[in-house]
Amino acid sequence: MPVRKPPTARQRRLGAELRRMREHVGLSLTEAAALHRVDKTAISNTEAARFGVSADRVRVWASNYSCPDHAYVDALADMARERSGVNWWDEFRDSMASFMLDLVELEHHAVSLRHVQITHLPGLLQHEDYARAVFGEAVPPLTSEAMDLQVDFRMRRRALLDRPDAPRCSFLLHEAALRMLFGDRAVARRQLQELLKCSERDSVTLRVIPFTAGGFPSAGSSTMYASGPVRQLDTVQIDVPNSTTFLDAETHLTNYRAVLDRMETRSLEPERSRDFIRKVLHEL
């Protein structure tokens, strides 16, 4: 019997939302099973993403739970219709870390993205030479084949910005990220020129937080806030050493929205941010 592939973060999120919906109306697994006329193990396995679930079943369960939010139920049904093996990142499933695939899937389905980067520039805005220089600092060092794989994957991610329906992307870049040299000065100049080019896209807003802005919350970590089709399906992604963390509890979402709003008040307006990048570029 073939080994079942582990669920993706998005599949786990769908199961978790069905569990929240059930718990919100105070039903136990046994009570929900009687209501749905299924075995309670089917519910627990679905909520744990061990089993898939159809869009029709999502709607039936939501109706049985008397969920009044039709937009939320529609979004969950759309998630249930998604199938693996049909997206570009699926060809990397045997060669890339699962958290990177989960990150790309999150970006792909987001309505909008808010990034905060402190010492590295965002992967979605990286020039190929800069990305290669960043991966050149990996410990242990990457083989040439592994290096090519990582750079190819990162460049494929950038296609998100070229979609006709590209999500609205807001990037808060700290001055430290602009001045941190990965590669030589020629690489740094090409990267800053790439930032200026990307900042002209209609779907991209780029703002710089200068050193003179002082301290701000979450200054020690890079964060991405991905907005779903409804607020209940928003997700916060935080970089941690050698991995990434996804948060979706309402308290986390509320707090990180406040953090990002406060950080944005410390940043320069988009046009002044472009002038600032040109200044750093001139100084190289």
Side-chain angles (χ1 to χ4, degrees):
M1 178 181 295
V3 177
R4 186 179 185 277
K5 293 182 178 179
T8 66
R10 192 161 172 85
Q11 291 166 339
R12 294 193 299 271
R13 179 66 180 277
L14 175 57
E17 293 300 324
L18 291 174
R19 184 186 67 248
R20 286 172 180 162
M21 196 184 297
R22 172 177 61 80
E23 292 175 345
H24 185 72
V25 292
L27 292 177
S28 67
L29 285 172
T30 301
E31 292 167 333
L35 189 63
H36 302 326
R37 297 182 181 180
V38 299
D39 189 272
K40 68 178 183 180
T41 58
I43 298 176
S44 62
N45 283 328
T46 299
E47 292 179 353
R50 289 187 289 269
F51 288 176
V53 61
S54 69
D56 287 342
R57 176 163 285 191
V58 167
R59 293 189 182 281
V60 169
W61 287 12
S63 177
N64 289 343
Y65 295 147
S66 301
C67 181
D69 193 332
H70 298 299
Y72 175 52
V73 175
D74 287 344
L76 293 180
D78 287 341
M79 290 175 69
R81 291 190 187 95
E82 296 165 11
R83 295 292 179 265
S84 61
V86 298
N87 298 294
W88 68 262
W89 58 86
D90 289 303
E91 66 186 82
F92 290 86
R93 291 215 173 269
D94 295 328
S95 55
M96 293 292 295
S98 60
F99 72 85
M100 287 302 304
L101 302 175
D102 290 337
L103 171 60
V104 170
E105 190 174 49
L106 178 65
E107 292 173 338
H108 176 80
H109 290 286
V111 174
S112 64
L113 298 169
R114 298 177 72 183
H115 286 260
V116 177
Q117 299 290 141
I118 309 301
T119 56
H120 290 76
L121 295 175
L124 290 175
L125 301 182
Q126 287 184 8
H127 186 281
E128 181 175 347
D129 294 340
Y130 178 92
R132 193 169 292 275
V134 169
F135 288 123
E137 300 294 338
V139 178
L142 299 177
T143 65
S144 59
E145 292 81 5
M147 171 74 78
D148 290 342
L149 177 70
Q150 293 286 351
V151 173
D152 179 40
F153 186 79
R154 180 149 295 180
M155 294 302 102
R156 295 281 292 275
R157 279 177 64 196
R158 285 186 46 128
L160 176 75
L161 301 180
D162 296 323
R163 282 179 9 198
D165 62 341
R168 299 289 303 178
C169 296
S170 175
F171 297 95
L172 286 172
L173 310 180
H174 197 271
E175 182 178 349
L178 300 179
R179 295 190 180 276
M180 184 81 73
L181 283 181
F182 287 96
D184 57 23
R185 293 182 181 275
V187 169
R189 284 194 291 269
R190 285 195 289 274
Q191 178 57 68
L192 293 178
Q193 289 165 348
E194 183 66 21
L195 288 182
L196 291 171
K197 179 181 176 181
C198 289
S199 72
E200 299 297 334
R201 293 175 178 266
D202 291 338
S203 62
V204 171
T205 300
L206 192 154
R207 304 170 72 112
V208 171
I209 304 174
F211 285 127
T212 54
F216 49 88
S218 296
S221 63
S222 296
T223 304
M224 180 180 74
Y225 190 104
S227 297
V230 293
R231 178 159 283 194
Q232 297 99 312
L233 297 181
D234 291 358
T235 304
V236 172
Q237 176 262 329
I238 302 173
D239 287 338
V240 296
N242 302 315
S243 187
T244 194
T245 296
F246 299 97
L247 305 174
D248 54 50
E250 182 56 36
T251 298
H252 288 139
L253 298 178
T254 300
N255 287 341
Y256 273 95
R257 283 194 296 268
V259 166
L260 290 166
D261 289 344
R262 189 186 304 179
M263 292 176 72
E264 191 166 299
T265 65
R266 309 285 176 89
S267 68
L268 304 176
E269 293 295 327
E271 187 54 45
R272 289 185 62 198
S273 293
R274 283 192 285 271
D275 290 340
F276 194 96
I277 294 171
R278 294 186 186 102
K279 175 178 177 291
V280 176
L281 176 60
H282 179 73
E283 293 172 357
L284 283 172

